[in-house]
Amino acid sequence: MQKLWLIISREYGSRVRKRSFILTTILTPLGFLLLFSISIFASMSAVSKEKTIWVADEANLLNQADGALSSSANLNLIPAPKVGIDSLQRLLAKAEDSPIDALLHIPKTSVQNRENLSNLLTIQLALYGREPLSASTQSILRQRLSRRLIKERRKLLGINLKDLERAELKGSDLHFNQLNVAGEEETAASAQVYLASFLGGGMMMLIYMVILIYGNMVMRSVMEEKTSRIVEIVISSVKPFQLMLGKIIGVGAVGLTQFLIWGLTIPTLQLILSLFVALPAASSSPLPSGSGLDEDQMLMIMDNLEGFSQFNYSYLMSCFLAFFLLGYTLYASIFAAIGAAMGDDWGEGQSLTIIVTIPVVAAMLIGLQAIENPHGSLVEYASYVPFFAPVIMPARLAFDPPLWQLGLSLGILFLSAIAMIWLSGRIYRIGILLYGKQPSVKQFFYWMFKF
Amino acid sequence: MDSSLLKLEGVYKQYAGHTAVNDLSFELSRGQIFGLLGPNGAGKSSLIRMICAITKADKGQIFFDGKLVGPKTQRKIGYMPEERGLYKKMRVSEQIMYLARLKGLSKKEAKKRMTAWLQRFDIEDWKKKRIEELSKGMQQKIQFIVTVIHEPELLILDEPFSGLDPLNSQIIREEIYRLKEEGSTILFSTHRMEQVEQICEQILLINKGEKLFLGKVAEVKERFKKNEFLIQTQGPAANDFAHTFELLDQGEDWLKVRLQETQTSAELFAAVVDAGLPIRRFEEVLPSLQEIFIEMVQE
């Protein structure tokens, strides 16, 4: 046990202290931070400078509505000073001397009569600033105006506003009542299905990446020991199986560490960043400025957030972790055996990795199916194939697969992982001492099953 | 206490249809330097791996200090393989500590011994260097330290001098003698037979996995000597006296002569003196291990 522990801590320690590990571990969250900030600043830069706009509202479109003239973080709407209703020229001249960016003139004719509703409506926007208004500022203005205009038009057409509101549908008002074959109600709401795909897809991708990245790391580590010939010295002190196991556990722990660090830092950085960005904005407006969201979209988001809280996260996480660990073990031991079996020629040996890549990629393809149709028969049967299960089952997890299916899949995977470690151990202990030519497939089987 | 440290009984090992070690038995007593000799592919490395419990014998048994070899006996053996290897990216001190602790030393003990060894080789300054930054000779010293740091009862050195420069070669040779003085038993394996003639007390000659000869170097030489004598003279070597002896070869100032079974070296010496030849050197020509080996294989 003590030797195994020594091997694990060497594998772990030497990797964690590697410059490449430290760099990727630090740079990845920073990269996320950068991406996140770029996307925020890109959207903010469009409305970054506060624009002050005078509103000469002859039609009383904005003035009379509550809040329509309120200012948000980057847009400052002020009623133009009264200089006499008819003297737009004088107002323009006065505006020229004032520190404003634009003058919005809403002519009296904007609120039309029934007959000319379809006419093009032009609203004059006189610019005094150096730059034209950005697209997002324009869109805010347009939204406010159009909302008011629609209201006016409804009035004009005699549509009862109360009735209209009652007739409208909000995002959450439409509910599909899905019945399965047995006539029982399937409870998943559309938003939740969407979220489940999102969660499942994420977990599947993560395991897919872990298997390939860290499996490869195990393989390289085995090859390194073999080609540098240190392995013969090490196994004159420990059993080859111990060495292999220590390697798999050590590298796996490195992977877990990295994910833990990312899992903690990325959301934290995101939170800090969003606080910085959101605080000033939130003080003036409940909606992120310039996001262009209308009420319905907001409701949809609220719905989604509600949907997120409907998952049983501790259950999801523990299932995910089980598949993560078993899947990694299964594949890492195959990678270890391949590393041991390779000849001294790295390039030649690399072709052997196809043995592993094919099932992982196949699992990924079926997993994509699983997100579309989590209870399909292909997906279900593939969940029992140990090489596919670690990728496919996490994709299905958020869709609440039947417990017995989950158990069966996990059970088969568990037994296969144990068997694979054992078989790989047999290839490993012979392979690492064999220099020169790459062994044939026939020899592999001989090593695995010869007693 | 049994004086034999290592005992092999009918050991047999096969790899993919080829027999590496065939029914080999021998005993190795404590405190000696033992040579395991044979050409490349004779089965030396296979044999050593079984002694180190790295691989298992297909048939037969290997006892170390009266116990079957296994994980427990591994701690008492120090093995330096022919193909040297260290973790290239690891620092010298980490490397030594890791391998020493795998041999069962406590952290404290490993550290103490490492410091002592680094001082002995005068390479303390190299502690923090990575192996890949060291010269070949320096790496060899580290390799030697990790082999002996746990003070093994049996030290197995596979081609210990291959790739060593004369200076390092001498240092390692001295260390081997010192370890022997301190009670270690040393098993040398090499195909360069001239190297061990002076060092080894006992040798085992193997070929194609089979035992050719086991015994003292002097014994085998005695057995294979051909009664040949070399006479070196001052000035030209006349061969007038040689008609009663068989003259094998002759140079400007030397003669090589073979005695018949009935003749003695005293008779030859007397004949040379009688012939009035000024003798610089008179010696029996003993075959080298290499020649003996070739002769054995041909037999």
Side-chain angles (χ1 to χ4, degrees):
Chain A
M1 256 338 258
Q2 201 219 345
K3 285 180 184 174
L4 183 64
W5 178 244
L6 276 171
I7 296 166
I8 293 172
S9 42
R10 194 202 82 84
E11 290 292 334
Y12 183 81
S14 67
R15 278 192 172 66
V16 169
R17 274 176 294 159
K18 248 188 206 162
R19 213 170 300 150
S20 57
F21 175 84
I22 296 172
L23 279 180
T24 49
T25 308
I26 294 176
L27 287 184
T28 307
L30 286 182
F32 267 94
L33 184 70
L34 196 70
L35 267 180
F36 197 66
S37 354
I38 286 176
S39 70
I40 285 178
F41 283 113
S43 67
M44 271 180 51
S45 69
V47 285
S48 61
K49 267 198 213 143
E50 184 174 86
K51 301 281 185 191
T52 307
I53 299 176
W54 276 359
V55 182
D57 190 1
E58 290 178 27
N60 252 343
L61 204 55
L62 295 178
N63 283 350
Q64 60 169 212
D66 290 341
L69 264 188
S70 72
S71 303
S72 57
N74 304 299
L75 190 58
N76 198 12
L77 294 179
I78 308 170
K82 300 264 190 271
V83 287
I85 293 295
D86 299 322
S87 46
L88 184 60
Q89 292 305 321
R90 275 166 64 195
L91 184 58
L92 284 171
K94 184 164 185 170
E96 225 162 327
D97 302 328
S98 309
I100 60 166
D101 294 287
L103 170 69
L104 179 67
H105 177 233
I106 307 170
K108 214 174 194 141
T109 50
S110 300
V111 180
Q112 293 133 313
N113 48 30
R114 274 180 103 98
E115 282 67 43
N116 57 8
L117 268 184
S118 53
N119 284 4
L120 188 69
L121 183 61
T122 309
I123 288 178
Q124 198 183 358
L125 196 60
L127 295 178
Y128 297 95
R130 280 184 212 150
E131 316 143 11
L133 295 184
S134 69
S136 58
T137 311
Q138 282 187 42
S139 110
I140 296 173
L141 271 180
R142 174 171 294 121
Q143 257 182 42
R144 290 194 184 178
L145 280 172
S146 59
R147 219 176 284 159
R148 289 292 306 143
L149 274 170
I150 290 168
K151 264 194 180 158
E152 289 303 315
R153 287 176 172 202
R154 281 173 189 158
K155 234 190 263 172
L156 202 68
L157 293 170
I159 301 170
N160 185 320
L161 280 183
K162 286 259 159 58
D163 284 349
L164 191 67
E165 261 169 42
R166 277 162 65 194
E168 267 173 4
L169 277 175
K170 287 181 191 121
S172 58
D173 289 345
L174 189 61
H175 174 70
F176 292 104
N177 196 14
Q178 301 189 65
L179 296 180
N180 62 18
V181 195
E184 296 154 347
E185 192 180 342
E186 294 280 345
T187 49
S190 63
Q192 206 185 350
V193 168
Y194 170 75
L195 283 169
S197 323
F198 180 75
L199 260 178
M203 293 194 283
M204 176 176 81
M205 274 306 290
L206 209 61
I207 291 195
Y208 172 80
M209 273 163 50
V210 164
I211 287 176
L212 287 183
I213 295 176
Y214 292 98
N216 255 297
M217 209 180 258
V218 169
M219 182 183 75
R220 273 209 305 275
S221 165
V222 172
M223 286 177 78
E224 238 169 66
E225 280 184 358
K226 184 180 174 181
T227 48
S228 78
R229 307 289 196 252
I230 178 79
V231 71
E232 197 161 348
I233 294 171
V234 177
I235 60 170
S236 73
S237 302
V238 302
K239 286 190 191 127
F241 187 72
Q242 277 179 314
L243 180 58
M244 187 184 89
L245 200 64
K247 214 173 262 304
I248 291 175
I249 297 175
V251 173
V254 173
L256 273 180
T257 308
Q258 201 159 39
F259 279 114
L260 205 68
I261 293 175
W262 289 345
L264 288 178
T265 50
I266 294 178
T268 312
L269 284 174
Q270 229 165 13
L271 191 71
I272 293 173
L273 191 72
S274 55
L275 278 181
F276 265 106
V277 175
L279 269 182
S283 60
S284 56
S285 156
L287 295 187
S289 56
S291 61
L293 291 172
D294 61 28
E295 286 170 61
D296 286 354
Q297 280 169 305
M298 273 310 287
L299 280 167
M300 184 75 178
I301 290 178
M302 299 301 265
D303 261 10
N304 283 358
L305 288 177
E306 223 169 90
F308 261 120
S309 59
Q310 277 167 23
F311 292 109
N312 180 352
Y313 282 102
S314 53
Y315 167 73
L316 271 186
M317 274 321 288
S318 40
C319 288
F320 170 74
L321 225 85
F323 279 102
F324 178 101
L325 290 177
L326 290 175
Y328 165 76
T329 310
L330 178 84
Y331 275 102
S333 50
I334 306 177
F335 270 114
I338 291 176
M342 281 185 183
D344 283 352
D345 182 1
W346 282 58
E348 178 195 349
Q350 209 66 34
S351 60
L352 264 177
T353 54
I354 207 150
I355 301 174
V356 198
T357 334
I358 286 178
V360 181
V361 172
M364 183 74 179
L365 293 176
I366 304 175
L368 291 175
Q369 276 277 308
I371 291 173
E372 283 290 309
N373 182 12
H375 304 298
S377 56
L378 167 70
V379 169
E380 192 200 318
Y381 293 133
S383 304
Y384 306 134
V385 179
F387 295 101
F388 298 154
V391 175
I392 293 172
M393 216 48 193
R396 298 177 59 195
L397 272 180
F399 296 100
D400 245 345
L403 213 58
W404 68 268
Q405 286 190 12
L406 186 70
L408 185 60
S409 170
L410 258 182
I412 294 175
L413 179 60
F414 177 74
L415 293 178
S416 312
I418 301 270
M420 193 45 76
I421 282 201
W422 181 79
L423 280 177
S424 296
R426 295 185 68 84
I427 294 182
Y428 180 84
R429 72 191 171 140
I430 300 173
I432 44 173
L433 290 174
L434 223 65
Y435 305 129
K437 225 183 112 254
Q438 192 175 307
S440 65
V441 177
K442 202 176 118 200
Q443 261 172 307
F444 274 127
F445 283 96
Y446 180 73
W447 293 346
M448 280 194 276
F449 300 108
K450 179 202 156 196
F451 291 94
Chain B
M1 191 165 69
D2 190 2
S3 75
S4 90
L5 181 66
L6 192 66
K7 191 170 168 189
L8 283 82
E9 286 176 355
V11 172
Y12 180 90
K13 181 81 186 173
Q14 199 179 36
Y15 290 115
H18 138 88
T19 305
V21 176
N22 193 1
D23 191 23
L24 210 62
S25 303
F26 70 90
E27 275 183 47
L28 181 56
S29 52
R30 273 173 209 282
Q32 64 163 326
I33 301 183
F34 184 89
L36 176 62
L37 309 181
N40 288 326
K44 302 188 297 289
S45 294
S46 302
L47 188 61
I48 289 173
R49 282 176 178 174
M50 286 187 280
I51 295 172
C52 292
I54 291 173
T55 54
K56 269 193 184 145
D58 295 339
K59 280 183 230 160
Q61 288 175 317
I62 304 174
F63 297 95
F64 182 91
D65 209 3
K67 295 176 206 78
L68 276 174
V69 292
K72 286 232 167 76
T73 62
Q74 279 186 330
R75 287 188 179 200
K76 299 176 178 173
I77 299 176
Y79 169 42
M80 183 159 84
E82 176 181 5
E83 299 267 16
R84 308 296 151 70
L86 294 168
Y87 289 104
K88 299 207 159 43
K89 304 265 179 213
M90 250 177 139
R91 296 182 196 283
V92 169
S93 57
E94 291 170 346
Q95 179 107 215
I96 297 176
M97 288 296 288
Y98 175 61
L99 292 170
R101 296 202 59 204
L102 279 186
K103 281 288 184 193
L105 293 186
S106 70
K107 202 169 179 176
K108 204 173 140 203
E109 187 62 26
K111 198 160 192 172
K112 200 176 98 192
R113 292 194 198 174
M114 174 176 74
T115 312
W117 272 105
L118 290 176
Q119 275 168 354
R120 197 199 305 276
F121 283 150
D122 202 17
I123 49 174
E124 263 186 301
D125 301 344
W126 296 80
K127 228 159 90 173
K128 295 264 171 270
K129 291 247 190 254
R130 290 177 202 282
I131 296 295
E132 59 189 357
E133 297 170 57
L134 303 184
S135 69
K136 267 261 150 39
M138 208 63 81
Q139 289 184 22
Q140 301 264 19
K141 282 181 183 164
I142 308 296
Q143 193 92 54
F144 187 77
I145 293 176
V146 301
T147 311
V148 299
I149 192 159
H150 59 294
E151 293 175 358
E153 288 176 43
L154 175 64
L155 186 57
I156 300 178
L157 305 169
D158 201 351
E159 303 287 356
F161 300 115
S162 79
L164 277 188
D165 63 50
L167 201 67
N168 276 321
S169 192
Q170 186 55 33
I171 292 174
I172 299 294
R173 202 179 295 253
E174 280 165 15
E175 285 303 325
I176 290 170
Y177 282 126
R178 201 180 57 79
L179 287 168
K180 190 211 156 195
E181 289 303 309
E182 288 176 2
S184 292
T185 309
I186 290 138
L187 192 151
F188 252 115
S189 160
T190 182
H191 68 280
R192 310 233 347 236
M193 304 187 190
E194 74 282 0
Q195 280 183 342
V196 286
E197 284 192 32
Q198 317 117 28
I199 302 178
C200 295
E201 296 148 49
Q202 274 225 82
I203 56 165
L204 171 69
L205 268 175
I206 60 172
N207 187 43
K208 293 184 178 160
E210 287 177 34
K211 174 159 71 177
L212 290 180
F213 172 82
L214 172 70
K216 293 200 157 62
V217 177
E219 257 171 50
V220 71
K221 290 206 167 185
E222 189 64 29
R223 212 171 95 192
F224 281 85
K225 72 177 186 185
K226 299 200 174 64
N227 280 338
E228 290 173 5
F229 285 79
L230 179 81
I231 303 143
Q232 199 178 13
T233 59
Q234 255 173 329
N239 56 9
D240 317 343
F241 68 92
H243 52 273
T244 49
F245 303 94
E246 184 188 353
L247 184 67
L248 289 173
D249 201 1
Q250 180 173 17
E252 200 171 313
D253 62 346
W254 59 267
L255 299 160
K256 203 170 171 188
V257 175
R258 180 181 293 152
L259 301 186
Q260 302 305 313
E261 297 241 332
T262 52
Q263 296 169 320
T264 66
S265 55
E267 286 170 31
L268 174 64
F269 190 74
V272 177
V273 173
D274 283 348
L277 282 177
I279 301 170
R280 176 167 282 164
R281 192 146 67 109
F282 181 90
E283 69 175 25
E284 181 167 18
V285 180
L286 290 174
S288 70
L289 283 176
Q290 188 114 16
E291 289 163 327
I292 294 173
F293 178 81
I294 290 166
E295 205 182 318
M296 279 180 169
V297 171
Q298 280 166 352
E299 272 174 18

